[in-house]
Structures are given as structure tokens and as C-alpha cells.
Amino acid sequence: MNPDDRLSELLSDPDVWAEAPDAAAILEQVSAVERRRRLRPWGLVAVAAVVTALVAIGVSVVRGEQDPVDFVLTGTEVAPRAQAAVRIVDTPAGVVLRLEVSGLEPAPPGTYYQGWVAAGDDLVSVGTFHMRGGDGRVSLWSGVDLDAYRLLLVTLQPEGGGPQPSAEVVLRGGS
């Protein structure tokens, strides 16, 4: 018997409605028939699309990122547990280097971290941060062409120490 015919038969039978224990069974059968009606082949395509989108969003959330990674920075002997995933975003004002930093200890009082892009011996500062709030996203800005400056370094700098990079490199990597 067709499930729709069975449902019609159950719903039109007054004896079925008179018995309370059968009400749950009727509701279960009604739900089953409604699920089958809703999941026609065209509906399955829509459901598959939604599931795919939700999985993609879930993976992004679990990974803690929304953008694909362009390259990775690794910790040095100064900060061996530190790492950062880097996403490069071109804007009309310059290039944003989005770092998703983890394992980097907060800069001690009187110090800060500074990012540098390098081409050979030529270093250009791309910004400062301190990580005193814990792991997270840092945005650095570059006004130079990253096709030429392919190495990114992060150093631990003393406050008042001048404009030159210190020898304490904590993260390094490049595209």
C-alpha cells in the first residue's frame, strides 16, 4: 500500500483517533510521510547544497580562519612553540598581512613585537603588536611590493631601542 494511502486511511478512521496510545504512532507515520514528500529528488539537491555550505563554514570556524593561508611563519629558538598562518590581502592603501598567531608568549613589559618584510639585506617595518591578550589575529601593513619582499620576520623589540630590528627573531617565513 502506498504510504499516502495508508496515511489517508489512518486519518479517516475514527477508531484510531479514539485510542490515545495510537496517537503517537499516527504522528510518527504522518512525520515519515511528510519527510518523504519534502525530500523529493530536487529537494535532495537543495539539502546537499546546504550541508556542503555548513561543512565549509564549520571547517573554517574549527580552523579559526575564514581566508585561505598564503604561507606559514614558524617559531625560532627564541620562541619555538610560536607559529602564524599568514593571509595577504591587497588593498588600495597597501597590503595587509593577516597573521593568525598562536603559541607566542606576550611581549614582556618594556618590549613589543615588530614585523618586517625583507628582500636580501633590505628590511621594511610592517607594524608592531604585543600579544598581551593571548593568541589571535594581528594585521600588519606593507607599503612595499611583497613580490620583491618575500621574507617576513617578527622580532622582539625593546621600547626606546630605535628603528632597527633587534637580533631576537621570534617568527620567520615567506611566500
Side-chain angles (χ1 to χ4, degrees):
M1 174 180 279
N2 180 343
D4 287 39
D5 294 338
R6 176 72 177 133
L7 178 61
S8 295
E9 178 185 322
L10 288 170
L11 293 176
S12 63
D13 185 349
D15 293 334
V16 170
W17 288 101
E19 297 179 27
D22 290 338
I26 292 170
L27 291 176
E28 184 178 306
Q29 289 181 3
V30 168
S31 294
V33 168
E34 286 301 311
R35 278 193 304 272
R36 282 192 292 277
R37 283 183 182 160
R38 278 186 260 134
L39 295 178
R40 304 261 189 235
W42 57 267
L44 290 175
V45 172
V47 169
V50 169
V51 168
T52 301
L54 290 174
V55 167
I57 290 168
V59 167
S60 293
V61 169
V62 168
R63 291 178 64 192
E65 63 191 48
Q66 295 178 353
D67 302 320
V69 173
D70 288 310
F71 63 94
V72 175
L73 300 178
T74 56
T76 65
E77 61 280 352
V78 177
R81 293 183 356 177
Q83 62 182 356
V86 180
R87 173 72 177 127
I88 299 170
V89 181
D90 286 314
T91 74
V95 179
V96 180
L97 297 138
R98 289 191 182 140
L99 283 64
E100 194 67 43
V101 181
S102 64
L104 183 61
E105 295 294 322
T111 67
Y112 59 92
Y113 294 113
Q114 186 161 0
W116 306 86
V117 290
D121 291 335
D122 189 18
L123 293 171
V124 175
S125 175
V126 291
T128 63
F129 59 99
H130 55 66
M131 297 307 292
R132 293 191 183 117
D135 293 348
R137 182 173 279 181
V138 173
S139 294
L140 302 174
W141 283 86
S142 175
V144 297
D145 183 3
L146 293 184
D147 287 336
Y149 290 80
R150 300 188 61 86
L151 179 64
L152 176 60
L153 305 170
V154 175
T155 58
L156 180 63
Q157 299 288 125
E159 288 181 10
Q164 298 302 314
S166 77
E168 289 192 70
V169 177
V170 296
L171 288 165
R172 135 186 351 244
S175 59

PDB file of all heavy atoms in Angstrom, residues 67-85:
ATOM      1  N   ASP A  67      39.880  32.916   5.731  1.00  0.00           N
ATOM      2  CA  ASP A  67      40.601  33.101   4.485  1.00  0.00           C
ATOM      3  C   ASP A  67      41.601  31.959   4.289  1.00  0.00           C
ATOM      4  O   ASP A  67      42.129  31.417   5.243  1.00  0.00           O
ATOM      5  CB  ASP A  67      41.374  34.422   4.524  1.00  0.00           C
ATOM      6  CG  ASP A  67      40.463  35.614   4.759  1.00  0.00           C
ATOM      7  OD1 ASP A  67      39.374  35.623   4.182  1.00  0.00           O
ATOM      8  OD2 ASP A  67      40.852  36.511   5.512  1.00  0.00           O
ATOM      9  N   PRO A  68      41.905  31.608   3.040  1.00  0.00           N
ATOM     10  CA  PRO A  68      42.942  30.613   2.822  1.00  0.00           C
ATOM     11  C   PRO A  68      44.311  31.166   3.237  1.00  0.00           C
ATOM     12  O   PRO A  68      44.538  32.369   3.227  1.00  0.00           O
ATOM     13  CB  PRO A  68      42.893  30.357   1.313  1.00  0.00           C
ATOM     14  CG  PRO A  68      42.125  31.482   0.738  1.00  0.00           C
ATOM     15  CD  PRO A  68      41.291  32.077   1.818  1.00  0.00           C
ATOM     16  N   VAL A  69      45.210  30.296   3.618  1.00  0.00           N
ATOM     17  CA  VAL A  69      46.539  30.686   4.083  1.00  0.00           C
ATOM     18  C   VAL A  69      47.472  30.826   2.890  1.00  0.00           C
ATOM     19  O   VAL A  69      47.523  29.963   2.026  1.00  0.00           O
ATOM     20  CB  VAL A  69      47.069  29.624   5.072  1.00  0.00           C
ATOM     21  CG1 VAL A  69      48.509  29.904   5.450  1.00  0.00           C
ATOM     22  CG2 VAL A  69      46.185  29.556   6.296  1.00  0.00           C
ATOM     23  N   ASP A  70      48.227  31.939   2.853  1.00  0.00           N
ATOM     24  CA  ASP A  70      49.207  32.148   1.790  1.00  0.00           C
ATOM     25  C   ASP A  70      50.566  31.549   2.155  1.00  0.00           C
ATOM     26  O   ASP A  70      51.264  31.039   1.301  1.00  0.00           O
ATOM     27  CB  ASP A  70      49.348  33.635   1.470  1.00  0.00           C
ATOM     28  CG  ASP A  70      48.124  34.159   0.731  1.00  0.00           C
ATOM     29  OD1 ASP A  70      47.720  33.522  -0.255  1.00  0.00           O
ATOM     30  OD2 ASP A  70      47.562  35.182   1.142  1.00  0.00           O
ATOM     31  N   PHE A  71      50.955  31.649   3.430  1.00  0.00           N
ATOM     32  CA  PHE A  71      52.168  30.993   3.903  1.00  0.00           C
ATOM     33  C   PHE A  71      52.144  30.930   5.421  1.00  0.00           C
ATOM     34  O   PHE A  71      51.265  31.491   6.061  1.00  0.00           O
ATOM     35  CB  PHE A  71      53.449  31.661   3.366  1.00  0.00           C
ATOM     36  CG  PHE A  71      53.665  33.083   3.800  1.00  0.00           C
ATOM     37  CD1 PHE A  71      54.439  33.381   4.907  1.00  0.00           C
ATOM     38  CD2 PHE A  71      53.114  34.129   3.074  1.00  0.00           C
ATOM     39  CE1 PHE A  71      54.652  34.691   5.287  1.00  0.00           C
ATOM     40  CE2 PHE A  71      53.325  35.444   3.449  1.00  0.00           C
ATOM     41  CZ  PHE A  71      54.101  35.731   4.571  1.00  0.00           C
ATOM     42  N   VAL A  72      53.113  30.223   5.991  1.00  0.00           N
ATOM     43  CA  VAL A  72      53.155  29.990   7.430  1.00  0.00           C
ATOM     44  C   VAL A  72      54.468  30.523   7.990  1.00  0.00           C
ATOM     45  O   VAL A  72      55.525  30.369   7.378  1.00  0.00           O
ATOM     46  CB  VAL A  72      53.024  28.479   7.735  1.00  0.00           C
ATOM     47  CG1 VAL A  72      53.186  28.194   9.211  1.00  0.00           C
ATOM     48  CG2 VAL A  72      51.677  27.957   7.234  1.00  0.00           C
ATOM     49  N   LEU A  73      54.380  31.139   9.177  1.00  0.00           N
ATOM     50  CA  LEU A  73      55.565  31.537   9.915  1.00  0.00           C
ATOM     51  C   LEU A  73      55.815  30.490  10.994  1.00  0.00           C
ATOM     52  O   LEU A  73      54.872  29.998  11.608  1.00  0.00           O
ATOM     53  CB  LEU A  73      55.364  32.897  10.593  1.00  0.00           C
ATOM     54  CG  LEU A  73      55.061  34.094   9.710  1.00  0.00           C
ATOM     55  CD1 LEU A  73      54.856  35.346  10.567  1.00  0.00           C
ATOM     56  CD2 LEU A  73      56.169  34.314   8.708  1.00  0.00           C
ATOM     57  N   THR A  74      57.078  30.175  11.223  1.00  0.00           N
ATOM     58  CA  THR A  74      57.425  29.216  12.269  1.00  0.00           C
ATOM     59  C   THR A  74      58.275  29.905  13.326  1.00  0.00           C
ATOM     60  O   THR A  74      58.985  30.879  13.043  1.00  0.00           O
ATOM     61  CB  THR A  74      58.184  28.004  11.697  1.00  0.00           C
ATOM     62  OG1 THR A  74      59.332  28.467  10.994  1.00  0.00           O
ATOM     63  CG2 THR A  74      57.302  27.199  10.766  1.00  0.00           C
ATOM     64  N   GLY A  75      58.188  29.383  14.533  1.00  0.00           N
ATOM     65  CA  GLY A  75      58.956  29.936  15.636  1.00  0.00           C
ATOM     66  C   GLY A  75      60.434  29.602  15.503  1.00  0.00           C
ATOM     67  O   GLY A  75      60.811  28.606  14.891  1.00  0.00           O
ATOM     68  N   THR A  76      61.251  30.451  16.078  1.00  0.00           N
ATOM     69  CA  THR A  76      62.701  30.244  16.094  1.00  0.00           C
ATOM     70  C   THR A  76      63.090  29.670  17.452  1.00  0.00           C
ATOM     71  O   THR A  76      62.218  29.398  18.287  1.00  0.00           O
ATOM     72  CB  THR A  76      63.425  31.583  15.869  1.00  0.00           C
ATOM     73  OG1 THR A  76      63.149  32.442  16.987  1.00  0.00           O
ATOM     74  CG2 THR A  76      62.985  32.248  14.572  1.00  0.00           C
ATOM     75  N   GLU A  77      64.400  29.560  17.703  1.00  0.00           N
ATOM     76  CA  GLU A  77      64.862  29.067  19.003  1.00  0.00           C
ATOM     77  C   GLU A  77      64.453  30.012  20.130  1.00  0.00           C
ATOM     78  O   GLU A  77      64.328  29.598  21.275  1.00  0.00           O
ATOM     79  CB  GLU A  77      66.386  28.839  18.996  1.00  0.00           C
ATOM     80  CG  GLU A  77      67.230  30.073  18.731  1.00  0.00           C
ATOM     81  CD  GLU A  77      67.331  30.468  17.260  1.00  0.00           C
ATOM     82  OE1 GLU A  77      66.880  29.735  16.359  1.00  0.00           O
ATOM     83  OE2 GLU A  77      67.851  31.562  17.002  1.00  0.00           O
ATOM     84  N   VAL A  78      64.181  31.271  19.828  1.00  0.00           N
ATOM     85  CA  VAL A  78      63.728  32.235  20.831  1.00  0.00           C
ATOM     86  C   VAL A  78      62.280  31.944  21.246  1.00  0.00           C
ATOM     87  O   VAL A  78      61.910  32.140  22.402  1.00  0.00           O
ATOM     88  CB  VAL A  78      63.855  33.688  20.294  1.00  0.00           C
ATOM     89  CG1 VAL A  78      63.324  34.695  21.299  1.00  0.00           C
ATOM     90  CG2 VAL A  78      65.296  33.999  19.927  1.00  0.00           C
ATOM     91  N   ALA A  79      61.450  31.477  20.315  1.00  0.00           N
ATOM     92  CA  ALA A  79      60.033  31.181  20.575  1.00  0.00           C
ATOM     93  C   ALA A  79      59.643  29.908  19.814  1.00  0.00           C
ATOM     94  O   ALA A  79      58.894  29.968  18.833  1.00  0.00           O
ATOM     95  CB  ALA A  79      59.169  32.358  20.167  1.00  0.00           C
ATOM     96  N   PRO A  80      60.138  28.743  20.234  1.00  0.00           N
ATOM     97  CA  PRO A  80      59.948  27.516  19.444  1.00  0.00           C
ATOM     98  C   PRO A  80      58.494  27.053  19.287  1.00  0.00           C
ATOM     99  O   PRO A  80      58.172  26.375  18.327  1.00  0.00           O
ATOM    100  CB  PRO A  80      60.779  26.473  20.197  1.00  0.00           C
ATOM    101  CG  PRO A  80      60.979  27.026  21.561  1.00  0.00           C
ATOM    102  CD  PRO A  80      60.916  28.519  21.444  1.00  0.00           C
ATOM    103  N   ARG A  81      57.606  27.416  20.202  1.00  0.00           N
ATOM    104  CA  ARG A  81      56.206  26.985  20.095  1.00  0.00           C
ATOM    105  C   ARG A  81      55.360  27.928  19.251  1.00  0.00           C
ATOM    106  O   ARG A  81      54.219  27.643  18.939  1.00  0.00           O
ATOM    107  CB  ARG A  81      55.579  26.878  21.483  1.00  0.00           C
ATOM    108  CG  ARG A  81      56.156  25.781  22.340  1.00  0.00           C
ATOM    109  CD  ARG A  81      55.438  25.704  23.639  1.00  0.00           C
ATOM    110  NE  ARG A  81      54.475  26.798  23.651  1.00  0.00           N
ATOM    111  CZ  ARG A  81      53.600  27.070  24.590  1.00  0.00           C
ATOM    112  NH1 ARG A  81      53.531  26.355  25.613  1.00  0.00           N
ATOM    113  NH2 ARG A  81      52.763  28.075  24.521  1.00  0.00           N
ATOM    114  N   ALA A  82      55.917  29.069  18.886  1.00  0.00           N
ATOM    115  CA  ALA A  82      55.157  30.087  18.152  1.00  0.00           C
ATOM    116  C   ALA A  82      54.969  29.688  16.694  1.00  0.00           C
ATOM    117  O   ALA A  82      55.825  29.043  16.091  1.00  0.00           O
ATOM    118  CB  ALA A  82      55.878  31.430  18.228  1.00  0.00           C
ATOM    119  N   GLN A  83      53.835  30.078  16.141  1.00  0.00           N
ATOM    120  CA  GLN A  83      53.561  29.899  14.713  1.00  0.00           C
ATOM    121  C   GLN A  83      52.477  30.877  14.291  1.00  0.00           C
ATOM    122  O   GLN A  83      51.753  31.408  15.126  1.00  0.00           O
ATOM    123  CB  GLN A  83      53.141  28.472  14.398  1.00  0.00           C
ATOM    124  CG  GLN A  83      51.872  28.031  15.074  1.00  0.00           C
ATOM    125  CD  GLN A  83      51.540  26.587  14.750  1.00  0.00           C
ATOM    126  OE1 GLN A  83      52.206  25.938  13.969  1.00  0.00           O
ATOM    127  NE2 GLN A  83      50.486  26.079  15.346  1.00  0.00           N
ATOM    128  N   ALA A  84      52.402  31.111  13.003  1.00  0.00           N
ATOM    129  CA  ALA A  84      51.362  32.010  12.484  1.00  0.00           C
ATOM    130  C   ALA A  84      51.025  31.628  11.053  1.00  0.00           C
ATOM    131  O   ALA A  84      51.914  31.348  10.250  1.00  0.00           O
ATOM    132  CB  ALA A  84      51.823  33.464  12.545  1.00  0.00           C
ATOM    133  N   ALA A  85      49.743  31.597  10.757  1.00  0.00           N
ATOM    134  CA  ALA A  85      49.268  31.441   9.385  1.00  0.00           C
ATOM    135  C   ALA A  85      49.081  32.849   8.840  1.00  0.00           C
ATOM    136  O   ALA A  85      48.521  33.713   9.517  1.00  0.00           O
ATOM    137  CB  ALA A  85      47.951  30.678   9.366  1.00  0.00           C
TER     138      ALA A  85
END
